[in-house]
Amino acid sequence: MNGASQLHAPLYQPQLLVQGLSRDLDRTLLHPVGGEPISARAFRDMVSRYGQALVASGARRGSRIGVLSANRPEVLVITAACLVNGHILVPMHPAGSLDDHLHVLEDAAIELLAFDPDRFAEHAAALSGSATPCSFLSLGPCASGSDLSVLADSMAAAPLVAPQIDPDEPYRFSYTGGTTGKPKAIVGTHRTGRAVVEIQMASWEWPSQVRQLVCAPLSHAGAAMFLPTLLRGGSMIILPDFDPVKVMEAIEYHRITCVMLVPTMIYALMDHPRFGEYDLSSLETVFYGASSILPSRLKEAIGKFGPVFFQFYGQAEAPMTISVMRRDEHDIEDPLRLASCGRPVPWLTVALLDENLAEVPEGEPGEICVRGPLVMERYHDRPAQTAEALAGGWLHSGDIAVRDAKGFLRIVDRKKDMIITGGFNVYPREVEDALASHPAVATCAVVGIPDDRWGEAVTAVVVPRAGEKPVAAELIALVRERKGPIQAPKTIHFATALPLTSLGKIDKKRLRAELAAAAWELNDA
């Protein structure tokens, strides 16, 4: 790129990262709970050394680097090293199943997989049997892989230099589920990555001093909080995962000013018998999103925590922020306002459209559709699904909402059958396939039922084979083994038949209504 072309060039995540690690280097940047604080200088040097270690292990620009780990500083170090080196990060969800991780490994053609030996040594050993040629790098001593930490420690830290950026170049594959089969990868480009940070910096309500507690997965939403924290001169206190008591202890001890939670985490904190024992008064902002929150419980939370709640609404195809509801917009006397996902941010064009792509009138339901730099480029190797998601020059969210006179959006339904439970996406078809693999199951259907704790509870209706009497706990255990704990049904109901539409398809709308009316014989675990 010559001087003239650089004159008006924007900065992307790699440049923002390098700039952020060039000042105030003696301040604490990361502090793993129970571990030693890491300064900005030390983090910068770790990024350099781990970046060199990845290259020494065979990574080149465009190489796909997988990460499978609980929350620990190395996850952020590798994420940053991939940005500086021009690798494509492919995070695996720590709560995912072995089948899901194997699919991601093969679908993304991951070349190097860095894994946490404390949690995933056996998992990595099983994945090493894949036909995909992949080198396994352990974040510590482990027989299942080469020790990336030792290799990184052997490198001499060098100045970080951000690469020249093509805004259409991929920097991340983010896997999401699909109602028709295996998870698919959303190709995140540098243009999208820049928009994520820009919107967060401009539209989110950050405390004047950012001391952020991280208990969401750093492989996913937790990592999106890193660059804004860095650029605002803040620090991140890291928990390995979510535990209500440890969260409250950390807030009190570290005087946490902000934290990102999903609704089920908020419920777990409020409902914990020790909630009143801790001083949580340092909290200025609780960022929440990823799934809907019950208005009654949000009102209760505001009463217990104070007016500190800030909602963000987005999806993996338009990451983190399509709309926001600011702290002072949470009107506890207005249940419809508390059921809202806020108003669109000014960096995007957001419209509620009907099936003909015409905007619906105020108060009428329409699909949330989005245009702008935040929107994904495509799904990896899935042109038909890409065309469907981006039909007519809009990203189709699949969420049906109404807009009130003040511009607030309220999601009333989803076009697809995706279940959001505890802030995680569950796709019924995958659960149904796992259940149907049991020899005593003739057919089944899985839906989400409103639940005070989970937002939606994964609920299954099973039709047994003639003469068979499957056990609910056994079926739940089967799904837990095949798909992981998040996908496992909270409740199993048994029936002699499933309701069908006139076209012979399972009528899930009617099924949900009948379940809500307790029309089924209950068999829960």
Side-chain angles (χ1 to χ4, degrees):
M1 184 181 293
N2 59 38
S5 59
Q6 292 179 353
L7 180 60
H8 302 293
L11 299 184
Y12 295 92
Q13 284 196 16
Q15 292 107 328
L16 293 173
L17 172 72
V18 172
Q19 284 199 7
L21 292 173
S22 66
R23 58 180 184 266
D24 300 327
L25 296 179
D26 293 327
R27 66 184 172 93
T28 295
L29 179 59
L30 304 178
H31 192 166
V33 172
E36 293 298 317
I38 299 172
S39 70
R41 186 189 311 278
F43 181 84
R44 180 198 63 184
D45 291 347
M46 289 175 69
V47 172
S48 172
R49 293 197 301 269
Y50 272 80
Q52 293 176 63
L54 290 174
V55 171
S57 299
R60 299 292 180 265
R61 183 158 185 160
S63 291
R64 296 165 190 180
I65 312 297
V67 177
L68 176 58
S69 177
N71 284 356
R72 52 191 292 173
E74 292 92 339
V75 175
L76 290 174
V77 170
I78 292 172
T79 299
C82 286
L83 285 173
V84 173
N85 286 1
H87 309 317
I88 298 174
L89 182 72
V90 188
M92 295 182 176
H93 203 293
S97 70
L98 179 62
D99 284 347
D100 289 340
H101 292 157
L102 180 61
H103 167 71
V104 171
L105 185 76
E106 295 176 342
D107 184 71
I110 290 175
E111 299 166 47
L112 302 174
L113 175 62
F115 68 93
D116 178 354
D118 297 334
R119 297 283 186 94
F120 297 106
E122 293 183 3
H123 214 111
L127 290 173
S128 65
S130 166
T132 298
C134 177
S135 297
F136 287 76
L137 306 175
S138 175
L139 301 176
C142 181
S144 299
S146 302
D147 193 331
L148 182 64
S149 301
V150 168
L151 181 58
D153 288 343
S154 71
M155 303 293 178
L160 298 181
V161 180
Q164 293 293 327
I165 297 299
D166 175 353
D168 296 321
E169 181 182 10
Y171 80 98
R172 182 185 179 98
F173 281 6
S174 300
Y175 272 83
T176 183
T179 56
T180 58
K182 295 291 186 180
K184 54 188 179 292
I186 296 164
V187 178
T189 64
H190 285 292
R191 179 185 287 108
T192 299
R194 179 179 184 272
V196 170
V197 177
E198 182 177 49
I199 293 171
Q200 284 183 297
M201 292 289 287
S203 294
W204 287 37
E205 292 182 298
W206 296 91
S208 57
Q209 293 184 339
V210 179
R211 289 188 300 276
Q212 181 171 180
L213 180 65
V214 179
C215 53
L218 281 174
S219 56
H220 289 69
M225 310 299 280
F226 175 71
L227 262 178
T229 299
L230 172 68
L231 297 175
R232 288 184 175 274
S235 60
M236 299 180 81
I237 290 80
I238 300 172
L239 281 171
D241 45 30
F242 177 78
D243 175 272
V245 171
K246 291 180 180 178
V247 166
M248 292 185 287
E249 287 176 344
I251 293 172
E252 179 180 80
Y253 181 80
H254 293 279
R255 304 304 294 160
I256 297 297
T257 59
C258 61
V259 61
M260 184 178 70
L261 302 171
V262 300
T264 53
M265 294 176 179
I266 297 171
Y267 302 160
L269 291 171
M270 289 195 299
D271 296 341
H272 199 278
R274 298 184 62 188
F275 177 81
E277 296 180 18
Y278 298 93
D279 179 5
L280 310 181
S281 62
S282 60
L283 280 175
E284 297 180 36
T285 307
V286 173
F287 302 111
Y288 72 100
S291 66
S292 60
I293 188 169
L294 293 169
S296 60
R297 300 238 63 190
L298 179 55
K299 181 177 181 179
E300 180 185 353
I302 294 170
K304 289 190 171 184
F305 288 88
V308 297
F309 289 87
F310 175 96
Q311 183 180 175
F312 61 95
Y313 161 72
Q315 58 179 196
E317 290 85 350
M320 299 302 287
T321 319
I322 294 172
S323 64
V324 299
M325 187 156 68
R326 299 171 66 83
R327 290 174 296 197
D328 62 3
E329 293 172 340
H330 286 68
D331 184 351
I332 61 174
E333 302 304 325
D334 185 352
L336 290 180
R337 173 64 60 81
L338 294 184
S340 168
C341 63
R343 291 186 279 199
V345 297
W347 313 96
L348 306 172
T349 301
V350 180
L352 302 185
L353 305 181
D354 63 19
E355 293 185 356
N356 298 314
L357 299 184
E359 192 155 5
V360 301
E362 179 185 302
E364 294 295 319
E367 183 179 14
I368 298 176
C369 296
V370 185
R371 285 173 170 165
L374 189 69
V375 173
M376 71 167 185
E377 181 73 18
R378 65 186 185 278
Y379 294 119
H380 172 60
D381 283 348
R382 284 168 172 77
Q385 290 172 303
T386 298
E388 180 182 3
L390 303 180
W394 292 92
L395 170 66
H396 295 260
S397 72
D399 289 324
I400 305 300
V402 296
R403 178 187 277 111
D404 69 16
K406 294 185 178 180
F408 287 86
L409 305 179
R410 178 169 56 87
I411 296 173
V412 296
D413 202 353
R414 283 191 296 277
K415 293 180 71 173
K416 299 181 180 179
D417 290 325
M418 182 182 74
I419 300 166
I420 302 180
T421 182
F424 297 103
N425 295 347
V426 172
Y427 291 84
R429 172 64 183 275
E430 296 184 33
V431 182
E432 290 162 358
D433 288 347
L435 286 169
S437 69
H438 192 284
V441 174
T443 188
C444 62
V446 172
V447 295
I449 299 300
D451 182 87
D452 287 352
R453 179 181 179 188
W454 299 102
E456 287 183 305
V458 180
T459 305
V461 177
V462 169
V463 178
R465 295 183 185 272
E468 297 287 348
K469 293 185 177 180
V471 177
E474 184 179 326
L475 295 176
I476 292 170
L478 173 65
V479 178
R480 182 181 294 271
E481 177 184 355
R482 296 284 182 86
K483 301 303 300 177
I486 293 169
Q487 287 86 346
K490 299 295 185 290
T491 305
I492 301 282
H493 302 261
F494 294 104
T496 56
L498 296 173
L500 301 177
T501 68
S502 58
L503 297 176
K505 296 182 178 181
I506 296 173
D507 189 342
K508 290 194 172 182
K509 182 177 180 180
R510 179 181 161 193
L511 186 62
R512 292 188 189 96
E514 292 179 347
L515 285 167
W520 300 91
E521 175 187 359
L522 177 62
N523 293 268
D524 65 16

